[in-house]
Amino acid sequence: MPIKINYKLCNGCGICYNVCPMDCYGWDEEKGLPVLTHEEECWHEGNCVTDCPQGALTLKYPLQLW
Amino acid sequence: MGEIADKVMDADFLVIGGGMAGCVAALKAAEAGLKVVVWEKAGILRSGSASVGVRNLRGLLPPDIPLSEVAEGISGGRGFFGGNARTLKGLMDENLAYAGYGEGWDALKDLERWGIDLRDEKGGYPLSYDSRTGAKTMLYFHGGSELKRKLARRVLKGPIVTLERTMALGLLTSGGKVTGAAGINVRNGGFFICRSKAVLLATGSAMRIYHPREGIPSGRFKMLYNHTGAGDGIAMAFRAGAELVNMELISEGGGGAIVTSSPYDRLGVRTGHLLGDHTKAPIVNALGEKIGAGRMPIEKIIEEEKAGRGPCFIDPTGFGEDVHRRIEAAKADTNEIIAALAAQRGLDSRTNKYELISFKGDRLAYPLAGVLIDGRCLTSLKGLYAAGDMMGGTNFGGAFGAIVFGRKAGMAASQDAGTLPEPEMDEGQADLVRDEALLPMGRKDGVRPLELELKVRDIVDRYCGAYRSEGRLKQGLWRLHSVKDKFLPELIAADYHEVMSAQEVRNIILLAEIHMRSALERKESASGNWRIDCPEKSDAPWESGIVVKKDGEGIKLGRRIMPPLHCAQPLRKRKER
C-alpha cells in the first residue's frame, strides 16, 4: 500500500481524486471522501501528496524501488 | 449521430491530450478565435510528462548567436546537436530543429503573456550548457513544478471547452481527411463524438511498450516516467492512415549511450544533467578507479562490467559547487516527492554515488520516433496535426519542444481552419470505434488488460530492446503475434477504467509490432538501434528514415530521406533581447 489516506485529516476536497494521472482514486459518494480503487497502478510521482492541502496523504517508498 | 453518443460536439480545433503541447496549442488557437475543445485522459492540472514539473527548457538560442550558425551546426551535424546528430542525418527533418531554435523566444513571450514568467530575480534569462550538445542553450528556472499547472488553469478559464478523464478511442475520417474523434469518459463510460475541422494529437510518447528501467515486471507501473503514455495518439494516427517514422529507435541516456543511473539512486536528478561535458562528472568503477568523465561511450561501461569491475557510478563528490547547487534547485522545483523518498532512505545527493545500471531499452526515442510531420506540424493526413513528444523526425523535444511545436500546431490550425471544409461524418465509424472499445466489458472470463500489457512488454524487452538481431526480432514478432491472436480477443474489463486500460493495451501491441518490424528493417548499428548481427559501426550518416503506414490490415514499411535543411526561406530576424 504505497499511499495512505489519513481520514482524520482528510476534508474531502477531492484534489487527489482530480489530479491523480493514473486515476488510482475513486470517490465514496456516501461519505464524500476519496478511496483508493486502482492502487496497483500508482507510479509514485506523488502529485496527490504534494497537492493535498490537509497533509492527509503519505507515500511510502515502495520496496520494489528500494 | 446523437443517438449513439451521449454528446456530440462541434469544434474548429479538437486537441487530444492536455499536456504541455496540447495546452499551448489550445491557447494559441483560441486566441486566434477558433472554437477549441480539449480531451484529456487524466486530470489536466497534473497530466502529461510535465505533470510533476519541468526543470529546464532545452533549445533556446543565445541572443548573440546568429541563426546562420545554427543552420551550419544542423547541416553539419555538429554544434547544437552534438555527435549523434551526424548519424541521425537523413532521419531528422532538419528544418524542424531549425524552426525550433528560430521560434523559441517567441514561444517564451507567449508564455509570459499567459502569466508564466520564467525570468530570474534579475529579470534575465541565464542560459546554461546543454549536457547533450555542449551548447549554451539551456534555460534553468525556478517554479518548474508550477509551469504545467499554470498553463492548465489558463486553459480551464475558457472559452476553451475541456473534458477531463476523456480518452480518445479513435479518429474519424472522411475522404482521406480527419474529421474528428470518438472518445469515452474513463470513469462513467460517457461516449463523446467531436466533429472538428482540425484535430491535434498531443498524447506523448509510447513509454509503455517496454518495462521500466527498474526491471521489475511485477511492478506494473512503478517507474518514474509519466505512465499514462501508452502511445495512444501514435496508434490512432496509424489506424487513420497517417505515416509514422523512425519507430525502431529507442531513447538514449544522457551520456550519448544507452546507459542511465539507477532510478533507485536518482535522488530526483536526471542522469542527463550529470553526464554532460560541462559537469565533467567523474565516472568510477566498483574499485573506485576513475574511468572517465562527462559523456562516455556505452562500450566503455560494458567493458568494465565484463572485466568484473562493475557496476560503474557517477561520483558526485567530484562535482563543482555550481553543479551541486543546480541539482538541489532542480530537486526543489520538480519531482519533489522523489527527493522526499530519497530522504526516507537517508540518501544524500552530494555524496551518494549514482549507479549506472541500465543498458536496456525503456521507451521510444522521442520525438524522433512518432508521427511524421511537416514544418507546420501537419501529418500526412489532411486536418490532422501532431505535436510534442509523439512527433517523429526531430530531436527538438521535451518540455520546450512541446511548447514550441504545440504553438506551431495551434498557429497552423488557425491558418488552415478557414480553408478546411465543415467536417462530414460517417455515423457508422464512431459506432464501430465504440463497440470495439467496449467489447472487453461484455466478456466474463479472460485476461485482464494489465496482465496482457506486462506480457507484451516482456516480449519487447527480451527480443528487441537495446541489442537486436534478425533472429531474435523474428522470434519476438512470432511470439507477439501468437500472444495477440490468442489473448487480445480474450481481454476483459471490469469497469470503464479497465476499458481505458484495454484500449491502451491494443495501442501498445500495435506499436510494439511496428517497433519490432521497423527494427528488423533497420540493419545499421548506431545509437538508438544496435544490431549485434551487424556490428560494423559506420561513421557515415544513415541515409534514410523508415516510414510506416497502414496497408489494409497490415503494416507497410518504406524508406525516405528526411528533408535536409533548406534555408531558401530564411526565418525572420529574431528580435533582440
Side-chain angles (χ1 to χ4, degrees):
Chain A
M1 299 287 275
I3 293 280
K4 265 201 177 124
I5 306 173
N6 183 343
Y7 285 110
K8 283 180 188 159
L9 295 174
C10 176
N11 63 1
C13 71
I15 287 176
C16 54
Y17 177 66
N18 288 334
V19 298
C20 177
M22 301 309 296
D23 216 7
C24 297
Y25 287 89
W27 195 253
D28 184 332
E29 292 288 349
E30 249 172 57
K31 292 181 184 159
L33 291 170
V35 282
L36 285 159
T37 45
H38 295 91
E39 198 187 6
E40 75 280 9
E41 293 178 29
C42 173
W43 61 286
H44 304 91
E45 96 297 333
N47 287 338
C48 57
V49 178
T50 41
D51 290 0
C52 175
Q54 295 295 107
L57 300 171
T58 43
L59 176 60
K60 229 169 105 182
Y61 201 94
L63 172 61
Q64 287 98 325
L65 291 179
W66 200 269
Chain B
M1 184 131 307
E3 285 165 23
I4 63 158
D6 297 294
K7 193 171 181 184
V8 179
M9 329 173 165
D10 286 294
D12 297 320
F13 190 37
L14 169 64
V15 175
I16 298 174
M20 292 284 267
C23 283
V24 172
L27 289 168
K28 200 71 191 164
E31 275 186 352
L34 261 60
K35 191 176 171 195
V36 183
V37 172
V38 176
W39 285 1
E40 165 57 54
K41 184 166 77 171
I44 196 165
L45 285 175
R46 287 289 210 172
S47 71
S49 297
S51 75
V52 290
V54 179
R55 287 176 184 78
N56 53 58
L57 300 182
R58 162 179 258 151
L60 264 168
L61 194 60
D64 55 337
I65 293 181
L67 267 170
S68 57
E69 205 173 299
V70 177
E72 260 173 50
I74 292 171
S75 317
R78 57 176 194 278
F80 294 90
F81 290 91
N84 291 340
R86 199 170 138 68
T87 50
L88 295 177
K89 217 170 162 52
L91 276 63
M92 289 191 302
D93 179 345
E94 295 175 351
N95 302 285
L96 295 179
Y98 184 70
Y101 281 107
E103 293 171 25
W105 290 105
D106 291 338
L108 263 199
K109 225 170 133 190
D110 277 345
L111 290 184
E112 274 165 32
R113 238 164 9 82
W114 297 329
I116 298 162
D117 194 339
L118 305 178
R119 279 176 290 197
D120 66 6
E121 56 277 2
K122 289 177 194 152
Y125 301 93
L127 293 178
S128 195
Y129 292 98
D130 184 331
S131 57
R132 220 177 279 169
T133 62
K136 210 172 176 181
T137 54
M138 189 97 125
L139 178 69
Y140 285 91
F141 57 95
H142 291 301
S145 62
E146 281 297 320
L147 177 52
K148 170 68 209 303
R149 270 184 287 183
K150 281 184 180 167
L151 268 178
R153 284 197 190 103
R154 188 92 195 178
V155 170
L156 287 170
K157 259 189 195 169
I160 297 163
V161 175
T162 306
L163 266 71
E164 297 182 272
R165 307 289 171 189
T166 299
M167 181 194 198
L169 297 170
L171 296 170
L172 305 174
T173 57
S174 172
K177 183 197 169 298
V178 172
T179 53
I184 194 168
N185 182 300
V186 300
R187 284 181 174 170
N188 60 29
F191 185 67
F192 304 114
I193 292 170
C194 182
R195 289 184 289 225
S196 187
K197 286 182 181 172
V199 176
L200 172 68
L201 291 168
T203 61
S205 182
M207 295 288 189
R208 273 155 60 180
I209 65 173
Y210 279 99
H211 279 316
R213 280 178 198 172
E214 291 90 323
I216 313 158
S218 62
R220 290 189 170 168
F221 292 100
K222 291 171 182 63
M223 66 191 283
L224 300 166
Y225 293 120
N226 175 15
H227 224 139
T228 49
D232 301 333
I234 306 176
M236 278 190 285
F238 174 84
R239 289 196 188 100
E243 291 177 325
L244 314 181
V245 69
N246 297 329
M247 288 294 287
E248 74 281 14
L249 301 181
I250 52 171
S251 201
E252 307 175 326
I258 309 156
V259 52
T260 177
S261 67
S262 155
Y264 318 122
D265 296 339
R266 233 163 58 168
L267 307 166
V269 189
R270 294 225 168 119
T271 325
H273 297 206
L274 303 177
L275 282 178
D277 287 334
H278 63 294
T279 64
K280 299 275 177 243
I283 315 278
V284 297
N285 63 20
L287 307 176
E289 298 161 344
K290 187 171 167 182
I291 57 164
R295 293 161 72 85
M296 170 150 303
I298 188 169
E299 292 92 334
K300 190 111 194 239
I301 308 274
I302 294 169
E303 232 171 70
E304 292 298 306
E305 295 268 1
K306 278 188 179 164
R309 295 190 293 266
C312 295
F313 304 89
I314 301 171
D315 182 5
T317 56
F319 289 161
E321 182 61 24
D322 57 328
V323 178
H324 280 307
R325 286 215 183 129
R326 192 193 302 151
I327 290 169
E328 278 151 18
K331 280 202 300 186
D333 266 352
T334 57
N335 283 71
E336 295 162 57
I337 202 75
I338 302 176
L341 293 174
Q344 275 184 28
R345 298 175 55 200
L347 299 179
D348 179 342
S349 69
R350 287 194 171 220
T351 54
N352 192 80
K353 286 187 290 186
Y354 298 76
E355 185 184 336
L356 298 170
I357 53 153
S358 175
F359 304 130
K360 76 184 286 298
D362 63 354
R363 57 196 147 128
L364 289 184
Y366 57 82
L368 261 173
V371 179
L372 185 66
I373 55 163
D374 71 3
R376 302 170 66 245
C377 292
L378 184 64
T379 69
S380 57
L381 285 184
K382 205 174 174 192
L384 185 66
Y385 305 77
D389 281 341
M390 62 167 288
M391 303 183 293
T394 181
N395 63 353
F396 202 96
F400 200 45
I403 291 168
V404 172
F405 285 91
R407 179 176 177 272
K408 280 176 89 70
M411 295 195 304
S414 309
Q415 283 165 4
D416 297 350
T419 60
L420 288 167
E422 285 298 327
E424 278 179 34
M425 204 168 274
D426 164 10
E427 201 164 313
Q429 259 183 14
D431 220 359
L432 275 177
V433 166
R434 182 191 58 175
D435 289 351
E436 196 158 22
L438 291 179
L439 272 176
M441 253 194 149
R443 299 191 186 108
K444 279 198 175 128
D445 296 312
V447 58
R448 288 187 64 202
L450 286 173
E451 287 177 75
L452 186 52
E453 178 171 340
L454 290 175
K455 185 63 213 172
V456 172
R457 283 196 225 157
D458 268 342
I459 293 169
V460 184
D461 250 32
R462 184 164 163 194
Y463 295 101
C464 193
Y467 301 99
R468 304 165 180 179
S469 70
E470 187 174 328
R472 275 164 62 162
L473 286 164
K474 282 186 172 162
Q475 177 70 2
L477 277 162
W478 176 80
R479 291 187 69 146
L480 183 70
H481 284 143
S482 116
V483 162
K484 175 184 160 186
D485 293 346
K486 164 82 176 130
F487 293 103
L488 202 54
E490 289 187 15
L491 264 183
I492 53 169
D495 53 19
Y496 291 109
H497 181 96
E498 284 199 342
V499 168
M500 165 179 76
S501 307
Q503 185 70 12
E504 289 171 343
V505 174
R506 283 185 61 210
N507 295 338
I508 288 165
I509 291 177
L510 172 64
L511 297 180
E513 184 176 353
I514 292 172
H515 178 52
M516 289 167 82
R517 286 278 303 275
S518 300
L520 199 56
E521 169 73 21
R522 170 75 64 198
K523 293 187 174 62
E524 299 97 324
S525 273
S527 48
N529 185 81
W530 297 85
R531 282 289 294 258
I532 40 187
D533 53 345
C534 309
E536 283 301 305
K537 225 178 123 182
S538 166
D539 282 339
W542 291 5
E543 282 179 358
S544 55
I546 296 170
V547 175
V548 186
K549 202 181 165 182
K550 193 176 165 202
D551 181 24
E553 287 308 302
I555 297 167
K556 195 172 140 195
L557 297 153
R559 291 266 186 166
R560 196 175 308 159
I561 300 168
M562 293 294 115
L565 187 63
H566 48 79
C567 287
Q569 293 171 306
L571 291 160
R572 63 194 160 86
K573 200 175 172 291
R574 274 180 312 129
K575 292 174 197 79
E576 290 310 315
R577 290 239 156 205

